[in-house]
Amino acid sequence: MTVEEYFNLYKKCVDIESIQFSLEDFKRFQKSRNIKIEKEKNCIAILSLTDREVEIYFIGVAESLRGRGLGKKFLKNIINFSKYYGADFITLEVGISNIPAKNMYSSFNFIECGIRKNYYRNSSGSREDAIIMKLNLN
């Protein structure tokens, strides 16, 4: 896939007011040895890879296809990739009000391990806390 195609898929998977990455970011991601863009059909994830950790910067399903289990299947594949990569754990953050995502992560045994106060900016301009979640792979 081209960088533009990755970016266009990303835009289908995020609320337009919540876009945090630009086309230029995707160009940098594709050149980086420590960033992996993972794609499956109408799902995309941006992963940061370190020696023993995978951090999910973003994971999303195209809005028109949500609620069909694609996100769970995709997350399972990311967990399997992370194990194969040799990571000890996966971390991510999720908005405190994003109940469907929090429930999905909890169903895979991610645990809450911290909070980032006022981390996300909502479409209304207000701020929202992010919950840091972690999955131990060992």
Side-chain angles (χ1 to χ4, degrees):
M1 275 186 93
T2 68
V3 173
E4 290 80 8
E5 289 170 321
Y6 281 127
F7 183 62
N8 287 331
L9 176 56
Y10 165 72
K11 290 190 299 186
K12 291 178 183 177
C13 297
V14 66
D15 297 329
I16 198 72
E17 302 89 18
S18 303
I19 287 181
Q20 56 188 128
F21 300 115
S22 67
L23 178 58
E24 292 304 312
D25 292 324
F26 273 82
K27 289 177 182 177
R28 282 195 308 276
F29 295 158
Q30 200 164 46
K31 292 177 184 174
S32 174
R33 294 180 314 158
N34 299 78
I35 302 288
K36 180 171 179 58
I37 302 172
E38 196 67 32
K39 176 212 171 281
E40 284 183 18
K41 296 184 183 178
N42 291 293
C43 306
I44 190 166
I46 303 167
L47 311 175
S48 170
L49 311 175
T50 63
D51 289 342
R52 307 307 298 172
E53 174 186 1
V54 170
E55 181 176 355
I56 300 174
Y57 283 166
F58 176 82
I59 183 171
V61 175
E63 186 175 5
S64 62
L65 298 171
R66 291 180 189 158
R68 300 181 186 182
L70 296 173
K72 277 191 166 191
K73 181 181 174 207
F74 190 41
L75 181 58
K76 183 178 181 181
N77 291 340
I78 290 170
I79 292 168
N80 288 335
F81 162 79
S82 300
K83 289 176 180 177
Y84 177 78
Y85 175 74
D88 293 327
F89 55 93
I90 301 171
T91 58
L92 58 85
E93 65 215 11
V94 60
I96 200 161
S97 67
N98 191 343
I99 304 302
K102 287 189 330 186
N103 289 341
M104 180 179 70
Y105 300 136
S106 294
S107 75
F108 281 93
N109 298 318
F110 279 81
I111 57 167
E112 295 182 21
C113 60
I115 291 192
R116 291 189 170 134
K117 299 299 270 179
N118 300 314
Y119 189 73
Y120 291 114
R121 181 172 307 222
N122 293 331
S123 57
S124 66
S126 63
R127 306 292 290 189
E128 177 180 46
D129 295 345
I131 297 172
I132 302 167
M133 299 186 83
K134 181 177 181 177
L135 174 66
N136 288 313
L137 298 174
N138 297 331

